[in-house]
Amino acid sequence: MPRRSLLIISLIALIHAWLFIVYQRPDWEVAWSDQGGYKRLGEVLAATGEFTRYPDSPVFVPEVIRTPGYPAFVAAVYRVTGVRDVGVAAAQSLVFVGICLVIYALVRRIGSERTALTAAAFVALFPPIPYYGALVLTEVWTTFVLALAMLACMRAVQQGRLGQFVLAGVLFGCTTLVRPAFVLLPFGLAIGMPILVPSERRSAARLMGWAALAVAAAITLAPWLAYNRIYLGNFTLSPAGGVGRGLWEGSWQGRWPGRVHNDLTQTADEDITREELDTRVRAIASSSGLPAGAMLDYVHEWRDIRKIWEDPVDPMERARARVVADQEYLRAALGHIKDDPAGWAMRRITRGLFILWASDIPIRYTDINATPPLIVRAIWLLQVVLLAVAAAGLVVLLRRRQYAEAALLALPLLYVTGVHLPLLCETRQSLPVKPLVLVLAAIAVTSRRTEGS
């Protein structure tokens, strides 16, 4: 192991992470509202050992939005550092270093030491990962756990050992407990990999290994599914965090430019009367030169569905109302899609696909709207180029007849696309698999020297 090179890469990653901690600190309390839920769950879990936002309630109030994987990490950090944002950010800076090292180990099983070091360096220099690492959000921890799962899975593919398949299944299950969107990935790999790998790697033992991976993932998820069954009566990962709201948000995404959509959402969130809301929305429509009708429908639905869970005062009733609200989101979303299926599909394939894979803007959230469009487009262009280079890396693997390795790297990217494209697309949804994109890019840029030598 080239310890000196890895030490340098680790130091670069650590410095990179801490630069973003300093840069993001002003936004810790004024942006990224998702942080509040994770902080609360982590604080209560650290203090009481219970996974709830309401430890003082006379009856246990289950969590209906977040899965326990990331709050457990936050709780562990709080037990060491106290309830401090900087403690979580510091811990995630070390996790970022861990991602670089895991990616090195993964790529070393595919290619040369040069390629592995290049991939690790690419990850260390990739701004979106430390950008989210400076916030109390799931992205970096999900990326780390998924990288471990991919490493175990690569070892299983290459060695065929049952224990490695089981370990990979457990790690994929743990990934799902951090980010529920990955729930079907281990089962998709268990089905897809035996089909895509060469026949000589399709033995009965390997098929048994893939089956063991799927079973291990299911067993890992079983306690959490039981939790939701006991307290909410459903076998589900996140009762109020289902596809309803994501599909509803996705049904509106792309109808207006991003900044106009953001203005509408912020206006809907203000504490003003409906008459004042309508007046402001019509002003936004007039200034943007777009029809006001759909904008009014959007802000009215935004408010009306939120009232379903915001009005109840009792914590348990509010938790149940979140489940009802998600069902209402689903009903409204299906209605929008039915009204304009062709337009919805076109928006998802064009704008949705671009947002998911190439729209990272590692600029502080409160400064994004003030950033010149030329700079934003330049950042987007770099990401498009990165994806093109990664596609070239996939071709390199296929030319080398590393079919199993190519399939294992490509399938998670296809999976993330398939899961998120119908829903609201955010660039951070693809972040956990972005290291695989960087791996393929490293394979592409080092292929000539490797093949020449």
Side-chain angles (χ1 to χ4, degrees):
M1 181 179 294
R3 294 181 180 179
R4 189 174 190 180
S5 298
L6 287 175
L7 178 60
I8 293 172
I9 290 171
S10 297
L11 288 174
I12 291 172
L14 202 58
I15 293 170
H16 197 182
W18 276 93
L19 287 174
F20 268 106
I21 291 174
V22 174
Y23 176 65
Q24 290 276 56
R25 189 162 191 161
D27 274 8
W28 280 354
E29 302 299 335
V30 298
W32 298 105
S33 59
D34 286 358
Q35 294 185 100
Y38 294 120
K39 292 177 186 179
R40 177 61 176 166
L41 290 167
E43 181 179 0
V44 173
L45 189 59
T48 69
E50 293 185 334
F51 189 59
T52 178
R53 300 180 192 225
Y54 306 98
D56 298 326
S57 173
V59 297
F60 180 75
V61 181
E63 171 60 20
V64 296
I65 302 175
R66 311 297 181 194
T67 45
Y70 185 64
F73 168 79
V74 174
V77 175
Y78 282 169
R79 290 293 296 270
V80 175
T81 68
V83 183
R84 303 168 62 203
D85 290 352
V86 69
V88 177
Q92 290 181 161
S93 70
L94 299 177
V95 173
F96 181 37
V97 173
I99 294 170
C100 297
L101 298 178
V102 172
I103 290 301
Y104 167 83
L106 173 67
V107 181
R108 195 65 187 90
R109 305 194 68 86
I110 303 172
S112 67
E113 183 177 296
R114 172 185 171 82
T115 303
L117 289 172
T118 301
F122 280 0
V123 173
L125 294 170
F126 188 61
I129 301 178
Y131 174 91
Y132 289 106
L135 304 169
V136 187
L137 294 172
T138 65
E139 276 65 35
V140 170
W141 186 241
T142 309
T143 304
F144 176 65
V145 180
L146 182 61
L148 288 174
M150 291 300 298
L151 175 59
C153 201
M154 184 67 73
R155 294 180 65 181
V157 167
Q158 294 180 336
Q159 299 175 355
R161 294 179 181 173
L162 184 63
Q164 289 297 328
F165 280 107
V166 172
L167 176 60
V170 171
L171 289 169
F172 280 123
C174 291
T175 305
T176 301
L177 292 175
V178 182
R179 185 74 69 84
F182 286 98
V183 60
L184 297 178
L185 179 57
F187 308 104
L189 290 175
I191 296 170
M193 285 299 294
I195 295 173
L196 295 174
V197 298
S199 56
E200 61 269 17
R201 290 193 179 183
R202 210 177 298 150
S203 64
R206 288 181 183 273
L207 291 175
M208 185 177 295
W210 287 113
L213 182 147
V215 170
I219 292 174
T220 304
L221 296 176
W224 177 243
L225 296 174
Y227 170 96
N228 286 315
R229 176 62 180 173
I230 292 169
Y231 291 109
L232 293 159
N234 293 317
F235 281 114
T236 178
L237 283 171
S238 185
V243 300
R245 184 169 183 178
L247 196 64
W248 181 82
E249 296 278 10
S251 71
W252 289 107
Q253 190 177 35
R255 290 174 182 250
W256 312 288
R259 296 190 182 189
V260 173
H261 196 154
N262 183 64
D263 289 342
L264 290 171
T265 302
Q266 290 186 346
T267 303
D269 193 34
E270 291 185 28
D271 186 17
I272 54 178
T273 65
R274 179 158 292 206
E275 290 74 17
E276 176 65 19
L277 173 66
D278 291 356
T279 299
R280 293 196 187 183
V281 169
R282 289 190 179 98
I284 293 172
S286 177
S287 64
S288 61
L290 297 169
M295 294 183 180
L296 290 168
D297 290 341
Y298 169 72
V299 296
H300 291 165
E301 281 187 3
W302 194 95
R303 277 195 166 190
D304 292 344
I305 298 177
R306 285 183 71 89
K307 279 176 64 66
I308 293 174
W309 83 78
E310 287 185 340
D311 284 354
V313 177
D314 179 75
M316 192 63 189
E317 289 302 317
R318 192 166 189 171
R320 293 194 181 102
R322 292 301 293 259
V323 180
V324 174
D326 193 69
Q327 295 168 352
E328 181 61 21
Y329 277 124
L330 180 61
R331 185 200 62 77
L334 293 176
H336 296 321
I337 295 169
K338 183 179 179 180
D339 290 341
D340 183 23
W344 174 80
M346 183 58 66
R347 290 191 296 271
R348 306 322 301 146
I349 294 171
T350 54
R351 183 182 287 268
L353 191 63
F354 174 80
I355 291 173
L356 181 62
W357 285 107
S359 66
D360 266 310
I361 308 174
I363 295 172
R364 196 161 51 213
Y365 185 83
T366 51
D367 292 338
I368 287 178
N369 286 338
T371 304
L374 187 62
I375 293 177
V376 172
R377 290 185 174 91
I379 296 172
W380 288 347
L381 179 60
L382 289 174
Q383 293 171 79
V384 172
V385 172
L386 173 63
L387 292 171
V389 177
L394 187 62
V395 172
V396 170
L397 288 178
L398 294 175
R399 285 178 176 174
R400 294 176 182 170
R401 300 183 180 276
Q402 292 179 284
Y403 299 122
E405 290 79 3
L408 187 57
L409 293 176
L411 283 177
L413 309 184
L414 296 175
Y415 173 84
V416 167
T417 302
V419 167
H420 288 291
L421 196 58
L423 311 175
L424 171 72
C425 285
E426 297 181 78
T427 185
R428 58 178 174 154
Q429 293 165 340
S430 66
L431 187 73
V433 295
K434 282 290 178 67
L436 303 183
V437 174
L438 298 169
V439 166
L440 291 170
I443 291 170
V445 300
T446 60
S447 61
R448 285 192 176 183
R449 172 170 288 196
T450 301
E451 291 170 0
S453 59

